[in-house]
Amino acid sequence: MPLRSDWSEDLCPVRRGLDVLGDPWIMLIMREVLHGRRRFDEIRESIGISDAVLSRRLRLLVDEELLRKVEYRADRRTHFEYVATEAGADLLPIMHAVSIWAEKHTRMPEGGAHMAVIHETCGAETTTADACSECGEALRPGDVSWDKPWKATRERLVGAP
Amino acid sequence: MPLRSDWSEDLCPVRRGLDVLGDPWIMLIMREVLHGRRRFDEIRESIGISDAVLSRRLRLLVDEELLRKVEYRADRRTHFEYVATEAGADLLPIMHAVSIWAEKHTRMPEGGAHMAVIHETCGAETTTADACSECGEALRPGDVSWDKPWKATRERLVGAP
DNA sequence: CTGGTCAACTTTCCTCAAGAAAGTCAGGTC
DNA sequence: GACCTGACTTTCTTGAGGAAAGTTGACCAG
């Protein structure tokens, strides 16, 4: 990230983390991938990012090993999909922490609704980031759904393969 | 943030959260404030940010009510300090989640060392973001220290007044 | 009361990323 | 052979990032 100082070699882990995560698009892209939207155009439509920026970010995420680029066939064509690595799937607690904070401290706009994070293993809504507040088990993609009432969807996440 | 899309009115809480937090400097500034470095020049020295950017970020953080600007007297002068509001102090779990992720998934450079987050109430190191992994109690600034061996410091955080 | 220091900004300037829109290219279809 | 589409890349303008210098208003020393 040359516009900004490079923190990838910083002694402090928080700065090293923010070197990758301190970009508004990175989290959104990773979230879409964990929601199963893994193709270039699916991600673009769902988060409203420009082609150029998405292309750069995907390259960065592959370089940083948060995503792997995989070829597959569907509709009699070759497609590419971006699959979360373990490092990518491990962003889940950060996403939860952000969503908990935002639910508490940002103003919900007209038409919004409470987003629940459901731990499907025990069936309860969790109110903590990394371990289920109900059963105490670690929250892993695959066991977690995000319930978005304003979209009337409840999507289960998918983790590293 | 006009260079980027405005997400402050988005229905999705994660996007609303990232509208503020998806900036590399915001978290670092907030961390310094929670560590007790609350004056303009203290923050600038400790994170290496330019005056212009720090000034803009502080104004944003006051507008967004993550910080309050407070006048006080010391050394026979009037100073200003930036104090975390409750919304600001509640960023702590996100910082923990980022540091846990970075410790696990970024390469520690030469001279680095493991950073421990200590829950002073029970004395144990916690490995989760929002509730102490040892005693289960919620982690609040004031009860948490960050142990940075490469700096040979262990600093207790300070929360909202 | 004049000059100087210091905290806390603000301004200036140049470079480079963001985002919109249009272009490219290869594989596959009609 | 013309057309479509997925996955980018290129082009262009606007505006943020960062370094450095300037500003302002307390406070102090002589």
Side-chain angles (χ1 to χ4, degrees):
Chain A
M1 302 236 167
L3 179 55
R4 193 237 298 152
S5 330
D6 176 15
W7 299 332
S8 63
E9 296 293 313
D10 204 283
L11 292 179
C12 174
V14 175
R15 288 173 81 108
R16 290 201 305 277
L18 292 174
D19 191 59
V20 182
L21 307 177
D23 172 283
W25 294 115
I26 293 289
M27 277 289 174
L28 290 181
I29 294 170
M30 291 305 301
R31 185 182 58 160
E32 293 310 312
V33 170
L34 291 179
H35 274 95
R37 286 184 279 279
R38 305 200 269 218
R39 271 184 22 214
F40 191 92
D41 51 343
E42 285 178 317
I43 299 170
R44 185 188 32 176
E45 303 322 323
S46 58
I47 66 179
I49 190 176
S50 78
D51 292 21
V53 175
L54 177 56
S55 173
R56 276 201 293 274
R57 290 300 183 281
L58 288 174
R59 205 177 316 138
L60 175 75
L61 287 166
V62 170
D63 282 356
E64 298 285 334
E65 298 186 294
L66 277 76
L67 293 178
R68 280 183 309 112
K69 186 175 180 177
V70 178
E71 206 176 309
Y72 74 104
R73 280 195 76 82
D75 320 318
R76 298 184 181 168
R77 290 195 56 145
T78 302
H79 295 265
F80 297 98
E81 63 177 358
Y82 292 88
V83 183
T85 61
E86 199 200 334
D90 280 349
L91 295 180
L92 193 59
I94 305 179
M95 292 179 198
H96 288 162
V98 170
S99 93
I100 291 166
W101 181 85
E103 288 259 342
K104 186 168 173 194
H105 294 293
T106 65
R107 200 183 58 80
M108 187 187 296
E110 196 74 27
H114 166 66
M115 188 184 82
V117 177
I118 314 288
H119 185 213
E120 298 285 359
T121 313
C122 75
E125 177 181 352
T126 179
T127 56
T128 48
D130 40 26
C132 175
S133 57
E134 200 63 25
C135 71
E137 200 181 296
L139 296 170
R140 303 202 42 79
D143 300 334
V144 171
S145 297
W146 286 18
D147 189 21
K148 302 180 177 179
W150 67 92
K151 279 190 173 178
T153 63
R154 175 163 162 176
E155 282 183 285
R156 192 185 280 249
L157 307 191
V158 283
Chain B
M1 301 236 168
L3 178 57
R4 194 237 297 152
S5 331
D6 175 15
W7 299 332
S8 63
E9 294 293 313
D10 205 284
L11 293 179
C12 174
V14 175
R15 290 173 80 108
R16 290 201 305 277
L18 292 175
D19 192 59
V20 183
L21 308 177
D23 173 283
W25 294 115
I26 293 290
M27 277 288 173
L28 290 179
I29 293 170
M30 291 306 301
R31 187 182 55 160
E32 293 310 310
V33 171
L34 292 180
H35 275 94
R37 286 184 279 279
R38 305 200 266 218
R39 271 186 21 217
F40 191 93
D41 52 343
E42 286 177 317
I43 300 171
R44 186 188 29 175
E45 304 320 324
S46 58
I47 66 179
I49 189 175
S50 79
D51 292 21
V53 175
L54 177 56
S55 173
R56 275 200 295 273
R57 290 300 183 282
L58 288 174
R59 204 176 318 138
L60 175 74
L61 286 166
V62 170
D63 281 355
E64 299 284 335
E65 298 186 293
L66 276 78
L67 294 178
R68 279 183 311 111
K69 186 175 180 177
V70 179
E71 206 176 309
Y72 74 104
R73 280 195 76 82
D75 319 320
R76 299 185 179 166
R77 291 194 56 143
T78 302
H79 295 265
F80 297 98
E81 62 179 358
Y82 292 88
V83 183
T85 61
E86 198 199 334
D90 280 349
L91 294 179
L92 193 59
I94 304 179
M95 292 178 198
H96 288 161
V98 169
S99 94
I100 292 166
W101 181 84
E103 289 259 341
K104 185 169 173 193
H105 293 294
T106 64
R107 200 182 58 80
M108 187 187 296
E110 197 74 26
H114 166 68
M115 187 183 84
V117 177
I118 313 287
H119 185 213
E120 299 285 359
T121 313
C122 75
E125 178 182 351
T126 179
T127 56
T128 48
D130 40 26
C132 175
S133 56
E134 200 64 24
C135 71
E137 201 182 294
L139 297 170
R140 303 201 44 78
D143 300 336
V144 170
S145 297
W146 287 17
D147 189 20
K148 303 179 177 180
W150 68 93
K151 279 190 172 177
T153 63
R154 174 164 161 175
E155 282 182 286
R156 193 185 279 250
L157 307 191
V158 283

